Amino acid sequence: MVEIRHQYATVRGHRVFYREAGAREAPTLVLLHGFPTSSRMFRHLIPALADRFHVIAPDHLGFGNSDAPPADAFTYTFDSLTDITEALLAQLGVTRYAVYVQDYGAPIGWRLALRTPDAITAVITQSGNAYEDGFVPDFWAPLWAYGENPGPRTEPAVRTALSLDAIRWQYLHGVERPELVDPDTWAADHHEVGRPGNDLVQLALFRDYANNRPLYPRVHAYFRERRVPLLAVWGAGDEIFGPDGARAFARDLPDAEIHLVPGGGHFLLESHLDTVAGYIRGFLTVAASRHEVREESQSG
């Protein structure tokens, strides 16, 4: 049985929760979760990878078991969440790592890569968007409207994303076999975003999300310049970040490994864990080999 360590660190005055497993001398994989969940989304993936990798999965501030300071006491932006993640990794002595990004984890992961490109050995994106192609218009229109003009006219539409029905939909849409998805997932997420004051935390991040889009050209340039090994494994039925978002990575990384999983949705790990874990294990093994060859050629 794989030992998963449930730990806390004080980062810039905030208590940050993270799950850790595997030998610390093994190659590190950092798992960055999305909205509206936490590192809990990786509870089954971590033991599937920890025999070969040192796995770290933090909860972003405002989510899961990490601190959730009030919105008037902490500036909730994707820049500030990246600051916390970057500082946590520094405290843990993690200087080189592969990164797995999903949903909100993607804009955090892209910022980490742009800040310290030499730190990133490989990228796994599971509904972690980096292209305009990925946005499903019907889903995103209310959020764009709110970000452009926050107020009583636009706020009600985005507040619905915090409801139990909306969170359940995120887990079940596009899933061919919904009976495989544990209902505790959406119940726990709804409970956490429903904590007093957390609605204002989530609204702040909704407002800031549009600021991720101008970052995309820099991310694409990073892909072209660094040629980082990338695996995109997305649910083919995702109606938040559609399959075109996965295919788009090939424009800047022609060698990207791209898989659209039939019968899977936005939270692909809930219904297709073995499929995703298999792709990751194979991908990281090949990526590590290519990295060693590249380092040898550069040093030679």
Side-chain angles (χ1 to χ4, degrees):
M1 183 175 178
V2 173
E3 180 184 79
I4 299 178
R5 304 178 289 279
H6 303 84
Q7 305 187 112
Y8 291 88
T10 300
V11 181
R12 299 192 175 189
H14 301 287
R15 197 167 185 241
V16 176
F17 172 81
Y18 63 99
R19 301 169 199 256
E20 184 179 23
R24 291 187 174 94
E25 61 271 18
T28 298
L29 173 60
V30 177
L31 309 176
L32 300 177
H33 71 82
F35 169 86
T37 187
S38 67
S39 64
R40 184 174 54 251
M41 70 170 281
F42 301 118
R43 65 199 181 283
H44 300 310
L45 181 64
I46 292 172
L49 300 176
D51 62 326
R52 263 196 228 175
F53 306 100
H54 172 218
V55 186
I56 298 171
D59 287 353
H60 310 315
L61 282 196
F63 295 86
N65 291 299
S66 286
D67 278 354
D72 60 0
F74 181 82
T75 303
Y76 282 95
T77 64
F78 288 90
D79 280 330
S80 62
L81 294 184
T82 305
D83 293 342
I84 295 293
T85 307
E86 186 177 45
L88 171 67
L89 295 177
Q91 282 185 211
L92 298 179
V94 175
T95 57
R96 292 183 63 76
Y97 56 94
V99 64
Y100 177 126
V101 299
Q102 196 265 352
D103 194 273
Y104 273 14
I108 297 170
W110 306 147
R111 283 170 170 81
L112 291 171
L114 292 174
R115 292 180 185 186
T116 52
D118 289 337
I120 307 296
T121 59
V123 173
I124 300 154
T125 168
Q126 186 262 298
S127 292
N129 196 53
Y131 293 85
E132 292 289 332
D133 312 50
F135 294 117
V136 176
D138 288 347
F139 180 88
W140 288 94
L143 190 137
W144 302 145
Y146 178 62
E148 185 176 341
N149 186 24
R153 184 178 61 84
T154 56
E155 184 179 306
V158 295
R159 271 190 177 273
T160 62
L162 306 179
S163 70
L164 181 61
D165 285 346
I167 294 172
R168 181 191 297 113
W169 177 85
Q170 287 212 30
Y171 277 95
L172 297 183
H173 81 271
V175 179
E176 190 174 87
R177 296 188 58 196
E179 73 274 12
L180 298 178
V181 183
D182 185 347
D184 286 351
T185 54
W186 60 75
D189 289 352
H190 180 251
H191 170 75
E192 287 170 3
V193 300
R195 291 173 292 183
N198 197 264
D199 58 335
L200 301 181
V201 168
Q202 303 306 328
L203 289 172
L205 290 171
F206 289 167
R207 289 193 298 273
D208 189 58
Y209 195 90
N211 292 323
N212 296 320
R213 299 168 82 182
L215 202 68
Y216 286 175
R218 290 180 58 203
V219 175
H220 304 161
Y222 157 76
F223 289 153
R224 292 191 299 271
E225 292 164 9
R226 290 287 173 158
R227 293 182 299 159
V228 61
L230 184 139
L231 166 68
V233 53
W234 290 27
D238 192 342
E239 297 173 29
I240 298 173
F241 296 117
D244 284 345
R247 298 185 185 102
F249 286 97
R251 286 208 294 267
D252 296 301
L253 289 169
D255 294 331
E257 183 179 336
I258 299 171
H259 301 279
L260 300 175
V261 179
H266 189 62
F267 285 106
L268 188 60
L269 295 177
E270 296 300 323
S271 57
H272 292 78
L273 173 72
D274 290 345
T275 299
V276 177
Y279 284 137
I280 291 173
R281 289 172 70 91
F283 165 75
L284 288 180
T285 299
V286 172
S289 302
R290 288 178 180 170
H291 179 72
E292 288 174 6
V293 170
R294 186 180 300 174
E295 285 205 328
E296 287 176 5
S297 65
Q298 289 174 346
S299 63

